[in-house]
């Protein structure tokens, strides 16, 4: 394995920081007194009301601030007789004003505009740039939605608000997370297609943890949404070139809140919520049993336990408290925040707490120099319910009325109170993320920025079964009843070091050039430690050291390093035509020894046609064409390129080694290539905004594993670059101000994206099985479902399916025992989107709603197979005559993966959010001494429209979503209601 750099990167960071100071190495800055000021008020052009939170910057300097609760701003430390200020705010047109230094009564009016061409974007280019310059699409989600809607996590904040981003919710377990995928599946490997995540320029941990049947937990949802200013998303290789290897799945940049000059401004948020499993008795299928006499018995376990006084599902309770303060001077601004979250799920074995703290500092000792530092700390402790095979939900679904009168009370394994005692699953995390960035503008034509940081996660997952008492022990084997404990600990460290220098020069009176160069160093280091013990000698023993019959341990590590260098040239003509070209060179420690550097090119163009002299379409206020081509990659798995050996005992019992994997010294990264074209337009005086993008992405050199010849002396498989696949689709975002008056505003939004995924080259004959019914096969989407499709059957007098005929794959039919497997669908949505509506009354009462939808995807109904084929406790088993004989074939001949009845479309539309927010009047605020405040009530997951026959169309084991998307015994998304109070002082 290549070793590209070590922890000495920290020393390099210190050196480069010292070089950035104006005085030279290790010459500390001197705070200079500044006397020039610029101030004023920002108001909305439609309502003439002050705008809070507008960004005001002095063009060409690092000076800036945001407007306060009454729309005022004041920037100190300004030099020169005149300056130009730029005012930017979401939903309004950007305004640029030239003013004399010393003016403090400026009045800046912003008109409505859904298209903001001058808004700054930090993602995808060498340094911050205006949106008008970009040739690729960048989605932006404002963090304000976290307080305006019933949102508790980053994945909920993204859901339905970012075009092209698919959120797979997974489950309704408190503390669990969602899977995020951008523009479809771009790899053939059995790994997640998750995008890279950055916080303020520092790459952070985005690992998804959990095993088969366990609730999935994503490190993305460690982050408190209340600390987020905005989220920017680039969606593929066309925009991700400068992020290099690992970036072809897209990049999500989270920008946290910053301080602003002025007195301390406090903000407090309190949220109380309730969640519940709605209509559980109707949604969870009744269990059936036919006794030896032929009598059918049935049991609705939810109703029976409720009648007994031991309801299975209760009401969850969610609490959130946040306190933050921001303020400072022109030389030093700060943002401090602390929050606590408490979640109690709908079952007794699901509860936890999470604490977040954040400190962001910005220091500007000189107008040409700014240093920003940020630190975030997360501590979480959650108990999660066991699902899949061993928890309460699977025991309910697979129970039988045959055991209603014994100690099991109709449950498969044991009643709930015993399962809660026997299976204790805990997930604990301690995490710290920190970064520092130095921006230096030594001249008008040269800027440089150095960013360094780290993200460290200490995660411990434990499975504990205590030594059980006599009552609980009767349901388990002696080994299980004796107790056990398994602990897995991961220490994950991400390190980032990045430098960018930019030279900006005018060429004549019409052209401007920006030449940027720099480097990036990334390191991911993971340390694993596992321990297991079985057989506790007495009750109350909780340590592995106390286990008496079996103990084992494992200690391992994984390091991955990336070094990249880039060069970018950007040319602008009359501030409306822009062309950008870039190249990045990468090396990664997981590349094969014979593989050299990989190069990723990029070119993009943007043309603001509406600013040309010939443009005379009055009802189109702004129109921009854009296009981009770019490449990025995905590195191989660690050790995939290496020839490895493993330790084994020899016949004498001493340590020896044996071949493990043959390796591949020529192995390189998967290479993503993408072209995207589109336009964005603002029409009818800014009332209608349209953003449309077409993308065509190809992954070449896709990594697959193939069998190794036994003559090599190595068993197993070898990783090779042989595959190719494509993703194509459209993305559209339409925003409309339908009503705009002094008393009523009505905003509507529709966004959607399509995706057509296909394997064009597999590199092997036939197909590659990756799951029970999923395979990779040329001409079909990645991980498609294949099984026998039953065409016809009939029932005999006893209700047994006979004369079964299946699809022969050529338009005819053959007996099912001779039938080939045929294509039955794919796991990723072909169409995904959302519709939102906001009504504002008298600028005080806001009513919001969000519906999101997915179509085209299929899922394996593992619950149906477990119940109807294995346990034989479904209605179709008891009354086959009530069902289509084709379905009876699957239930009565229920091989694990043989028939199409187990695979069904999971299309849905869901009423995801509804909220009512009221801005408090001054008379209310004066009683608590607040300057501004809102109260709101909202709900999530309030309704769903679907034909999916399972428990819920979204429910999925997302830790297994790549190889076999399924719904095995997973708690569905819960219905939630939340009450929120937000006050500013």
């Amino acid at each position: 394995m290549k070793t590209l750099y070590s922890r000495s990167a920290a020393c390099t960071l210190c050196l480069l920081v010292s070089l950035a100071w104006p005085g030279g190495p290790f010459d500390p800055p001197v705070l200079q007194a500044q006397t020039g000021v610029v101030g004023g008020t920002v108001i909305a052009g439609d309502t003439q009301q002050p705008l809070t939170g507008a960004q005001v910057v002095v063009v060409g300097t690092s000076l800036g601030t945001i407007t306060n609760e009454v729309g005022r701003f004041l920037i100190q430390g300004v030099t020169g007789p005149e300056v130009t200020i730029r005012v930017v705010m979401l939903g309004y047109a950007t305004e640029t004003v030239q003013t004399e230094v010393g003016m403090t009564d400026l009045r800046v009016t912003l008109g409505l505009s859904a298209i903001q061409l001058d808004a700054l974007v930090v993602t995808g280019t060498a340094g911050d740039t205006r949106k008008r310059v970009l040739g690729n699409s960048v989605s932006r989600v404002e963090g304000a939605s976290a307080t305006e809607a019933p949102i508790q996590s980053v994945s909920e904040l993204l859901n339905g608000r970012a075009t092209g981003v698919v959120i797979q919710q997974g489950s309704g377990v408190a503390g669990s997370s969602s899977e995020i995928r951008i523009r479809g599946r771009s790899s053939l490997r059995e790994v997640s297609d998750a995008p890279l995540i950055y916080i303020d320029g520092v790459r952070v941990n985005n690992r998804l943890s959990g095993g088969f049947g366990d609730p999935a937990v994503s490190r993305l949802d460690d982050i408190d949404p209340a600390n987020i200013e905005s989220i920017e998303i680039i969606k593929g290789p066309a925009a991700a070139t400068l992020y290099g290897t690992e970036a072809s799945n897209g990049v999500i940049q989270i920008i946290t809140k910053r301080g602003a000059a002025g007195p301390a401004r406090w903000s407090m948020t309190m949220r109380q919520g309730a969640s519940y499993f709605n209509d559980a008795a109707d949604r969870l299928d009744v269990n059936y049993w036919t006794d030896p006499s032929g009598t059918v018995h049935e049991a609705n376990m939810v109703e029976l336990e409720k009648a007994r006084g031991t309801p299975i599902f209760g009401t969850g309770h969610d609490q959130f408290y946040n306190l933050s303060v921001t303020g400072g001077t022109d030389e030093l601004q700060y943002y401090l925040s602390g929050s606590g979250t408490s979640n109690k799920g709908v079952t007794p074995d699901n509860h936890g707490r999470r604490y977040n703290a954040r400190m962001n500092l910005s220091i500007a000792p000189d107008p040409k120099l700014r240093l920003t530092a940020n630190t975030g700390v997360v501590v979480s402790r959650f108990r999660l319910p066991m699902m899949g095979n061993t928890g309460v939900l699977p025991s309910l679904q697979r129970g039988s009325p045959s055991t209603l009168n014994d100690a099991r009370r109709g449950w498969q394994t044991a009643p709930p109170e015993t399962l809660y005692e026997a299976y204790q699953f805990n997930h604990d995390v301690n995490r710290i993320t920190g970064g520092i960035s130095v921006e230096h503008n030594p001249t008008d034509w040269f800027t440089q920025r150095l960013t360094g940081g780290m993200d460290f996660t200490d995660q411990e997952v434990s499975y504990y079964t205590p030594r059980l008492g006599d009552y609980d022990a009767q349901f388990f084997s002696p080994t299980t009843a004796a107790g056990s404990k398994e602990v897995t600990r991961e220490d994950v460290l991400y390190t980032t070091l990045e430098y960018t220098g930019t030279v900006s020069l005018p060429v004549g009176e019409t052209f401007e050039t920006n030449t940027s160069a720099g480097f990036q160093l990334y390191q991911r280091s993971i340390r694993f430690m596992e321990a297991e013990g079985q057989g506790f000698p007495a009750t109350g023993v909780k340590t592995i050291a106390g286990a008496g019959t079996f103990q084992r341990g494992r200690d391992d590590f994984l390091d991955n390093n990336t070094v990249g260098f880039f060069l970018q040239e950007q040319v602008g003509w009359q501030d409306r035509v822009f062309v950008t070209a870039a190249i990045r060179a990468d090396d990664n420690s997981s590349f094969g020894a014979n593989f050299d550097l990989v190069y990723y090119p990029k070119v993009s163009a943007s043309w603001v046609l509406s600013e040309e002299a010939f443009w005379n379409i009055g009802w189109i206020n702004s129109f921009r064409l854009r296009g981009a081509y770019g490449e990025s990659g995905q590195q191989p798995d660690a050790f995939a390129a290496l020839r490895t050996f493993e330790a084994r005992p020899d016949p004498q019992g001493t340590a020896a080694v044996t071949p493990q994997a043959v390796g591949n010294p020529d192995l390189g990264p998967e290479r993503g290539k993408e072209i995207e074209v589109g336009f964005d337009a603002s029409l009818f005086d800014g009332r209608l905004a349209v953003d449309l993008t077409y993308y065509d992405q190809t992954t070449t050199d896709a990594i697959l594993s193939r069998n190794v010849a036994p003559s090599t002396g190595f068993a197993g498989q070898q990783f090779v670059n042989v595959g190719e696949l494509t993703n194509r689709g459209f993305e559209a975002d339409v925003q409309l101000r339908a009503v705009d008056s002094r008393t009523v505003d009505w905003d509507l939004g529709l966004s959607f994206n399509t995706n057509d995924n296909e394997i064009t080259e597999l590199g092997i004959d036939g197909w590659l099985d990756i799951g029970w019914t999923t395979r990779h096969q040329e001409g079909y989407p990645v991980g498609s479902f294949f099984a026998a499709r039953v065409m016809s059957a009939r029932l005999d007098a006893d209700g047994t399916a006979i004369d079964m005929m299946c699809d022969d794959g050529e338009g005819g039919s053959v007996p099912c025992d001779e039938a080939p497997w045929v294509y039955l669908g794919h796991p990723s949505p072909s169409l995904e989107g959302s519709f939102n509506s906001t009504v504002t009354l008298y600028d005080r009462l806001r009513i919001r709603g969000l519906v999101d939808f997915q179509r085209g995807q299929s899922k394996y109904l593992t619950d149906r197979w477990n119940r109807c084929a294995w346990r034989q406790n479904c209605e179709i088993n008891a009354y086959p005559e009530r069902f289509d004989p084709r379905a009876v074939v699957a239930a009565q001949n229920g091989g694990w993966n043989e028939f199409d009845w187990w695979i069904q479309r999971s299309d849905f539309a869901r009423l995801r959010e509804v909220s009512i927010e009221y801005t408090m009047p001054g008379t209310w605020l004066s009683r608590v001494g607040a300057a501004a405040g809102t109260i709101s009530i909202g709900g999530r997951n309030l309704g769903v429209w679907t034909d999916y026959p399972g428990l819920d169309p979204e429910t999925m084991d997302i830790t297994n979503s790549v190889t076999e998307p399924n719904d095995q015994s997973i708690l569905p998304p819960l219905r939630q209601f939340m009450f929120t109070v937000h006050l500013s002082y």
Side-chain angles (χ1 to χ4, degrees):
M1 176 178 290
K2 301 180 181 180
T3 302
L4 302 179
Y5 78 103
S6 67
R7 298 177 189 272
S8 62
C11 297
T12 306
L13 173 61
C14 296
L15 175 61
L16 292 173
V17 169
S18 71
L19 293 174
W21 298 114
F26 303 104
D27 185 14
V30 178
L31 297 181
Q32 301 177 8
Q34 304 292 342
T35 58
V37 297
V38 172
T41 304
V42 178
I43 63 172
D46 56 338
T47 64
Q48 297 299 303
Q49 296 296 312
L51 291 174
T52 302
Q55 182 183 22
V56 186
V57 298
V58 179
V59 178
T61 75
S62 59
L63 300 176
T65 187
I66 60 174
T67 56
N68 62 16
E69 289 79 6
V70 293
R72 288 282 301 169
F73 69 92
L74 184 68
I75 303 175
Q76 299 178 353
V78 184
T79 60
E82 290 187 344
V83 293
T84 300
I85 64 170
R86 180 182 295 123
V87 184
V88 180
M89 187 167 185
L90 183 68
Y92 292 87
T94 299
E95 288 292 335
T96 301
V97 178
Q98 191 170 17
T99 180
E100 295 180 357
V101 173
M103 291 287 292
T104 59
D105 58 353
L106 291 173
R107 185 177 177 88
V108 183
T109 302
L110 302 186
L112 289 173
S113 176
I115 300 295
Q116 293 180 287
L117 296 181
D118 292 313
L120 290 180
V121 177
V122 303
T123 301
T125 58
D128 301 355
T129 191
R130 292 176 297 161
K131 187 176 180 180
R132 68 166 57 224
V133 176
L134 299 178
N136 52 267
S137 172
V138 176
S139 290
R140 183 182 176 98
V141 177
E142 295 300 317
S145 300
T147 56
E148 296 171 351
I151 289 171
Q152 300 188 82
S153 66
V154 176
S155 55
E156 290 181 355
L157 179 61
L158 290 172
N159 195 9
R161 291 178 172 85
T163 309
V165 179
V166 176
I167 306 294
Q168 179 60 58
Q169 184 162 343
S171 79
V173 170
S176 66
S177 302
S178 303
E179 181 185 40
I180 299 176
R181 185 175 295 152
I182 300 175
R183 289 183 176 173
R185 291 281 303 274
S186 58
S187 177
L188 297 175
R189 289 180 291 167
E190 298 172 16
V191 295
S192 173
D193 289 315
L196 299 184
I197 307 294
Y198 286 77
I199 298 179
D200 296 325
V202 175
R203 185 174 167 186
V204 299
N205 186 357
N206 189 29
R207 289 169 62 82
L208 188 69
S209 64
F212 180 75
D214 296 338
V217 178
S218 170
R219 297 278 63 88
L220 175 65
D221 285 335
D222 288 340
I223 304 162
D224 182 1
N227 290 326
I228 295 176
E229 183 68 32
S230 63
I231 301 175
E232 295 179 358
I233 303 136
I234 57 177
K235 304 169 187 177
T241 296
L242 294 191
Y243 291 89
T245 296
E246 303 182 78
S248 61
N249 293 327
V251 179
I252 295 177
Q253 178 84 254
I254 297 173
I255 302 152
T256 61
K257 294 179 178 179
R258 291 288 184 266
R265 296 188 290 275
W266 293 84
S267 180
M268 183 274 291
T269 302
M270 183 275 290
R271 181 169 59 237
Q272 296 287 321
S275 57
Y276 61 97
F277 185 172
N278 59 292
D279 304 321
D282 295 329
R283 295 168 65 186
L284 289 166
D285 293 322
V286 172
N287 294 337
Y288 292 82
W289 171 59
T290 303
D291 66 22
S293 69
T295 302
V296 176
H297 304 263
E298 59 184 78
N300 186 313
M301 299 303 298
V302 176
E303 295 288 3
L304 288 175
E305 290 292 327
K306 181 179 179 181
R308 184 177 177 272
T310 54
I312 303 168
F313 305 107
T315 300
H317 184 200
D318 302 311
Q319 302 179 72
F320 173 79
Y321 305 92
N322 174 271
L323 181 64
S324 65
V325 60
T326 181
T329 66
D330 286 317
E331 290 80 17
L332 172 64
Q333 292 104 47
Y334 58 86
Y335 171 80
L336 303 174
S337 173
S339 65
T341 303
S342 174
N343 299 112
K344 176 186 175 185
V346 296
T347 56
D349 56 346
N350 184 203
H351 50 81
R353 297 176 182 272
R354 179 180 287 123
Y355 303 96
N356 277 266
R358 173 157 290 276
M359 179 178 67
N360 292 343
L361 300 175
S362 179
I363 304 172
D366 184 275
K368 297 181 178 181
L369 180 68
R370 179 174 293 274
L371 184 147
T372 59
N374 62 86
T375 302
V377 176
V378 181
V379 176
S380 70
R381 302 288 185 267
F382 274 89
R383 178 176 176 181
L384 304 175
M386 297 293 291
M387 298 188 295
N389 285 316
T390 55
V392 168
L393 195 56
S395 189
L396 179 154
Q397 292 176 309
R398 304 169 198 172
S400 171
S402 64
T403 63
L404 279 174
N405 297 319
D406 65 27
R408 279 182 288 179
R409 301 203 309 268
W411 297 78
Q412 179 201 11
T413 307
E417 62 272 15
T418 294
L419 296 175
Y420 298 145
E421 176 69 14
Y423 298 116
Q424 301 180 28
F425 174 29
N426 295 295
H427 193 109
D428 300 337
V429 169
N430 303 307
R431 182 177 183 181
I432 183 169
T433 304
I436 185 170
S437 179
V438 180
E439 298 180 36
H440 184 209
N441 307 318
T443 69
D444 293 338
W445 52 267
F446 178 62
T447 62
Q448 58 181 334
R449 179 167 64 188
L450 177 70
T451 300
M454 50 78 70
D455 177 48
F456 178 73
T457 307
D458 174 23
Q459 172 183 293
E460 181 178 290
V461 178
S462 66
Y463 301 84
Y464 172 59
T465 298
R467 185 177 183 88
L468 300 175
D470 291 341
Y471 176 79
D472 294 327
Q474 67 177 312
F475 302 105
F476 302 97
S477 69
T479 299
T480 301
S484 63
K485 188 174 185 180
E486 179 181 346
V487 177
T488 301
R489 188 161 190 162
E490 286 185 4
D491 289 341
V492 183
L493 175 65
Y494 281 70
T495 307
T496 301
L497 182 63
E498 177 179 327
Y499 172 81
T500 301
T502 300
V503 174
S504 302
L505 295 173
V507 180
E509 296 182 357
T510 58
F511 285 92
E512 181 177 352
T513 65
N514 290 275
T515 304
S516 301
F519 66 86
Q520 295 163 335
L521 305 177
Y522 302 127
Q523 182 182 53
R524 182 179 67 228
S525 176
I526 306 175
R527 298 293 184 268
F528 306 91
M529 185 170 292
E530 296 179 1
E532 181 182 358
Q534 294 179 359
F536 296 126
T539 57
V541 179
K542 296 183 177 181
T543 64
I544 293 174
T549 60
F550 172 79
Q551 295 181 12
R552 71 171 183 88
R554 171 180 173 242
D555 183 14
D556 207 347
F557 73 94
L558 183 154
D559 285 341
N560 182 263
N561 306 319
T562 299
V563 176
F565 300 88
F566 64 86
L567 177 66
Q568 175 180 285
E569 179 66 30
Q570 189 177 93
V571 179
W573 178 72
Q574 294 189 341
D575 202 37
R576 55 179 179 265
V577 178
F578 304 90
V579 177
T580 303
I583 185 75
R584 176 179 168 119
D586 256 14
D587 201 1
N588 184 276
S589 58
S590 63
F591 295 169
N594 296 340
F595 190 89
D596 205 351
L597 291 175
V598 59
Y599 296 90
Y600 300 116
K602 168 186 175 177
V603 61
S604 69
S606 172
W607 184 13
V608 186
L609 274 79
S610 57
E611 296 181 3
E612 295 288 356
F614 60 76
W615 187 265
N616 59 2
I617 307 176
W619 54 276
I620 303 180
N621 313 109
S622 173
F623 187 87
R624 180 174 69 109
L625 286 175
R626 48 183 169 78
Y629 171 83
E631 301 182 10
S632 57
Q634 279 292 314
Q635 87 283 7
D637 296 334
F639 309 116
L642 294 181
R643 177 165 297 186
T644 58
F645 299 82
E646 60 180 337
R648 292 286 179 85
D650 63 15
Q652 287 73 41
T654 59
V657 295
T658 186
Q660 183 183 42
V662 64
N664 180 2
D666 298 318
L667 189 65
E670 298 181 337
R671 193 179 188 97
K673 305 176 181 180
E674 184 182 55
I675 183 170
E676 70 168 58
V677 293
F679 70 86
D680 41 65
S682 177
L683 302 85
F684 307 115
D685 295 326
R687 288 178 177 269
L688 177 64
V690 180
D691 190 317
L692 181 66
T693 302
Y694 170 77
Y695 66 91
D696 188 334
Q697 180 186 131
T698 299
T699 300
T700 61
D701 297 327
I703 297 174
L704 286 174
S705 57
R706 64 184 180 191
N707 292 328
V708 177
S711 59
T712 63
F714 287 81
Q717 297 179 320
Q718 180 188 46
F719 292 99
V720 292
N721 297 103
V722 294
E724 182 176 295
L725 60 141
T726 61
N727 280 285
R728 300 183 179 93
F730 286 94
E731 297 171 348
D733 184 71
V734 180
Q735 302 296 324
L736 172 66
R737 171 63 65 95
V739 177
D740 183 10
S741 69
R742 289 189 173 275
T743 57
V744 179
D745 295 330
W746 184 18
D747 296 304
L748 298 170
L750 172 66
S751 66
F752 67 87
N753 57 272
T754 66
N755 180 261
D756 181 14
N757 177 273
E758 182 183 347
I759 300 173
T760 54
E761 185 176 336
L762 197 56
I764 61 174
D765 294 331
W767 61 81
L768 180 66
D769 290 322
I770 62 171
W772 311 319
T773 58
T774 49
R775 63 173 60 161
H776 295 326
Q777 185 168 331
E778 288 183 8
Y780 295 93
V782 174
S784 290
F785 291 101
F786 284 80
R789 178 186 284 117
V790 182
M791 304 296 291
S792 63
R794 66 184 182 88
L795 304 182
D796 65 11
D798 297 326
T800 302
I802 59 174
D803 298 335
M804 299 170 289
M805 301 294 289
C806 288
D807 191 339
D808 67 357
E810 299 179 355
S813 60
V814 295
C816 286
D817 57 3
E818 303 173 11
W821 284 10
V822 297
Y823 173 70
L824 296 176
H826 55 87
S828 299
S830 302
L831 173 66
E832 184 267 348
S834 65
F835 173 78
N836 65 81
S837 175
T838 301
V839 176
T840 304
L841 304 176
Y842 298 96
D843 293 324
R844 191 170 295 279
L845 182 67
R846 281 164 292 280
I847 305 170
R848 299 182 178 90
L850 173 67
V851 174
D852 58 41
F853 55 88
Q854 295 181 13
R855 290 187 58 83
Q857 73 277 15
S858 296
K859 187 163 57 176
Y860 190 98
L861 278 78
T862 318
D863 285 343
R864 173 182 277 187
W865 185 92
N866 284 328
R867 299 185 68 252
C868 305
W870 173 34
R871 298 294 296 174
Q872 295 278 303
N873 68 350
C874 293
E875 183 181 3
I876 197 172
N877 306 117
Y879 300 106
E881 67 277 5
R882 298 178 180 177
F883 293 84
D884 188 325
R886 292 175 297 178
V888 178
V889 171
Q892 294 182 349
N893 301 273
W896 179 252
N897 50 14
E898 292 179 359
F899 298 109
D900 58 320
W901 198 50
W902 313 125
I903 301 165
Q904 298 289 330
R905 285 278 293 266
S906 55
D907 302 347
F908 71 90
R910 191 181 292 276
L911 180 55
R912 183 69 66 186
E913 296 173 9
V914 172
S915 65
I916 301 174
E917 181 186 68
Y918 181 69
T919 300
M920 300 181 196
T923 53
W924 293 17
L925 297 170
S926 62
R927 297 176 183 177
V928 293
T934 60
I935 55 174
S936 64
I937 184 170
R940 288 185 64 82
N941 306 321
L942 301 180
V944 64
W945 298 268
T946 183
D947 292 327
Y948 180 68
L951 185 57
D952 189 276
E954 281 193 281
T955 300
M956 185 186 294
D957 175 12
I958 61 176
T959 62
N960 202 41
S961 65
V962 174
T963 56
E964 194 77 31
N966 72 92
D967 65 349
Q968 178 157 314
S969 299
I970 298 173
L971 189 71
L974 303 175
R975 183 169 292 177
Q976 298 173 315
F977 292 96
M978 302 177 196
F979 175 76
T980 305
V981 177
H982 179 74
L983 296 173
S984 298
Y985 294 87

